[in-house]
Amino acid sequence: MIDSILMLAVSSAVLLAAAAAFGGYARSLPSGPHRYGYAAAVAASAMGLAYLLMAIVSGLFGAETDVLRFVGYTAMWTAIILVVCAIAGVGRRLTLLLFAAVLGRVWITLGSWFVDGALALLATLGTFAALGLGLYLLFGPFSRAAEALESERRLLFTKLKYLIVLSWVGLVATGLLSEGVGLVDGFVSQLVVIYVEIVLLLGFGGIVVRSQRALAQTAEATRLLSLGTDRGPDHGGGQGGSDGLNSPPDPAEHAD
């Protein structure tokens, strides 16, 4: 118990310090790009606060903290998805589909821990279906939309795409090793999960705040909280913003 609480407390301190660093760096960015730096700070602080609350609740009351972790996941992934969708230049429908895939997988996973038998199997299949949808979106329509973007912005999307996918693979593999075949105990599983999450958040924030040119191009074409690109035909940037699931973006169409 003490080891778990200490691990959560240390992880919280690392992520909150990273959030402060990302927020401080974001303040030095021009108007527009600074929003994406703040989003990286929000993602890191969400899990940092979740870990802090988990340590407090576990230490003082000995209660289960799964819901706190998944609330943190929801805030973390919301910030990450908004940034990735804005950078890729996709429209509202693809943005909402990625939200459904990522957050659906998060909460289906939590729900699967409270059911047995056929419902548990159905929930497990649901998590893999959501994972498959997320992979398809990132490597399919998102990547096709990004092909029409400026090279800096396209490179930033590619980096974030592979970082996110590697984190998904790491989390799924850890879950299979601990819950599926029981090769690792709960403490080791939690340690690996936290390590993957810290790598994801530090990598995401570091990549984003250091990509000022790509962020400037993104800010010229879309708003961070618009749930899709606001690019019009008069913008001089890239030509992303497609909502098509099976075809490349049409430069002549407004995405929304």
Side-chain angles (χ1 to χ4, degrees):
M1 176 66 73
I2 298 298
D3 289 340
S4 297
I5 294 172
L6 179 61
M7 176 174 61
L8 290 170
V10 171
S11 302
S12 173
V14 170
L15 289 177
L16 291 176
F22 296 150
Y25 199 96
R27 292 186 62 185
S28 68
L29 296 175
S31 177
H34 74 284
R35 300 170 188 166
Y36 300 92
Y38 287 137
V42 168
S45 62
M47 287 312 300
L49 290 173
Y51 288 147
L52 179 60
L53 291 174
M54 290 169 65
I56 293 173
V57 170
S58 181
L60 294 181
F61 307 106
E64 291 294 330
T65 58
D66 292 334
V67 173
L68 291 173
R69 178 187 291 275
F70 280 78
V71 170
Y73 283 161
T74 300
M76 176 191 78
W77 282 115
T78 296
I80 291 175
I81 291 169
L82 286 172
V83 172
V84 169
C85 290
I87 292 170
V90 297
R92 183 172 290 110
R93 183 171 61 173
L94 288 176
T95 299
L96 292 176
L97 279 173
L98 188 60
F99 267 110
V102 175
L103 298 185
R105 181 181 177 276
V106 165
W107 287 99
I108 292 172
T109 298
L110 178 62
S112 69
W113 297 349
F114 298 96
V115 294
D116 297 311
L119 287 178
L121 176 60
L122 185 62
T124 299
L125 293 176
T127 61
F128 280 100
L131 175 63
L133 175 59
L135 292 173
Y136 164 72
L137 290 172
L138 289 180
F139 284 97
F142 274 63
S143 293
R144 288 195 295 270
E147 288 175 0
L149 301 175
E150 303 88 342
S151 59
E152 296 89 351
R153 191 173 164 191
R154 183 170 64 250
L155 177 60
L156 174 57
F157 166 74
T158 301
K159 290 178 179 179
L160 296 179
K161 175 179 69 176
Y162 282 109
L163 176 65
I164 290 171
V165 170
L166 287 175
S167 73
W168 285 348
V169 171
L171 293 173
V172 170
T174 302
L176 290 175
L177 290 176
S178 60
E179 301 294 333
V181 297
L183 291 181
V184 296
D185 60 24
F187 177 80
V188 173
S189 174
Q190 187 176 45
L191 178 63
V192 175
V193 166
I194 290 176
Y195 173 78
V196 172
E197 291 165 358
I198 289 177
V199 170
L200 167 65
L201 289 165
L202 296 187
F204 175 79
I207 291 171
V208 167
V209 298
R210 291 174 60 86
S211 303
Q212 182 174 337
R213 183 175 177 83
L215 296 182
Q217 294 166 349
T218 303
E220 290 177 357
T222 187
R223 295 193 306 270
L224 179 59
L225 299 178
S226 65
L227 291 183
T229 181
D230 292 321
R231 178 180 295 106
D234 58 333
H235 280 97
Q239 302 295 329
S242 173
D243 263 342
L245 292 178
N246 297 304
S247 61
D250 184 352
E253 292 184 354
H254 189 284
D256 290 332

